[in-house]
Amino acid sequence: MVDKNLIVDTISQIGSVALDAAQDNAIDNVNEEVNQALAFERKQERKHIARVFAELGIDRQKAINLLVFEWDTDRRDAEELMLEAHRIYWPLERLKRHLRNEDWTMSEISDFLHDYEVARQLRTNRRLSDLTAAGLVDWLQKNQD
């Protein structure tokens, strides 16, 4: 004859183990999502810092060292952030400011940046980053693909 209490206890233990495993799995998933979100936030923060360094005209190597030593950034990542900030972000900001000063609306600026693929142009042609905002507008309008 089978002991009913033994069967109930066994089923209860199996259920308890399954519940513990499900809870552990849920906690692991939440922890992973939180860690990914924190990593994304840190990356965004570093990108912002690189952009501020570029806007302030801080020497690129000094800015890279600050990112590496003060913001715990991998050297290669710091170099890429600063390159992007100097070659793409800051020239775009200078251009936007110039166009606003020329009384362009935000919609017109957005359309211009989109139509002329300004970010792509800045990525592919290094010397464009060194142009003044007015020079960049002239170059883009003369050399539209």
Side-chain angles (χ1 to χ4, degrees):
M1 185 167 187
V2 179
D3 184 3
K4 291 180 185 180
N5 288 334
L6 180 61
I7 294 172
V8 170
D9 287 344
T10 302
I11 292 172
S12 178
Q13 287 175 351
I14 291 171
S16 178
V17 169
L19 180 61
D20 288 346
Q23 287 175 331
D24 290 345
N25 190 29
I27 290 170
D28 290 345
N29 288 340
V30 168
N31 286 338
E32 183 177 331
E33 288 181 26
V34 167
N35 287 335
Q36 287 175 354
L38 289 172
F40 177 78
E41 286 299 317
R42 284 191 296 271
K43 184 175 181 178
Q44 293 302 105
E45 179 182 67
R46 290 177 181 131
K47 187 181 278 190
H48 177 74
I49 291 165
R51 290 173 175 179
V52 169
F53 287 163
E55 187 171 352
L56 294 174
I58 293 175
D59 174 72
R60 189 178 310 187
Q61 192 57 52
K62 184 177 181 179
I64 289 168
N65 288 337
L66 285 168
L67 282 168
V68 169
F69 298 117
E70 298 297 325
W71 278 277
D72 194 29
T73 307
D74 176 73
R75 182 162 291 279
R76 181 178 291 159
D77 290 343
E79 289 169 353
E80 288 177 18
L81 286 170
M82 289 311 301
L83 182 64
E84 180 181 312
H86 278 281
R87 285 189 49 204
I88 301 162
Y89 171 77
W90 182 230
L92 275 174
E93 283 304 303
R94 281 194 324 250
L95 178 60
K96 289 177 192 175
R97 289 176 188 176
H98 169 75
L99 297 175
R100 280 194 300 268
N101 288 338
E102 295 290 317
D103 294 327
W104 286 40
T105 66
M106 291 306 292
S107 176
E108 290 170 329
I109 293 170
S110 179
D111 290 345
F112 179 83
L113 296 176
H114 179 266
D115 292 345
Y116 286 89
E117 297 179 314
V118 177
R120 183 186 64 77
Q121 296 279 4
L122 288 166
R123 275 188 192 87
T124 59
N125 191 339
R126 294 184 83 168
R127 64 185 182 83
L128 293 180
S129 299
D130 296 329
L131 294 176
T132 64
L136 182 57
V137 170
D138 289 342
W139 188 92
L140 289 166
Q141 290 174 334
K142 289 178 185 173
N143 297 292
Q144 186 176 17
D145 291 336

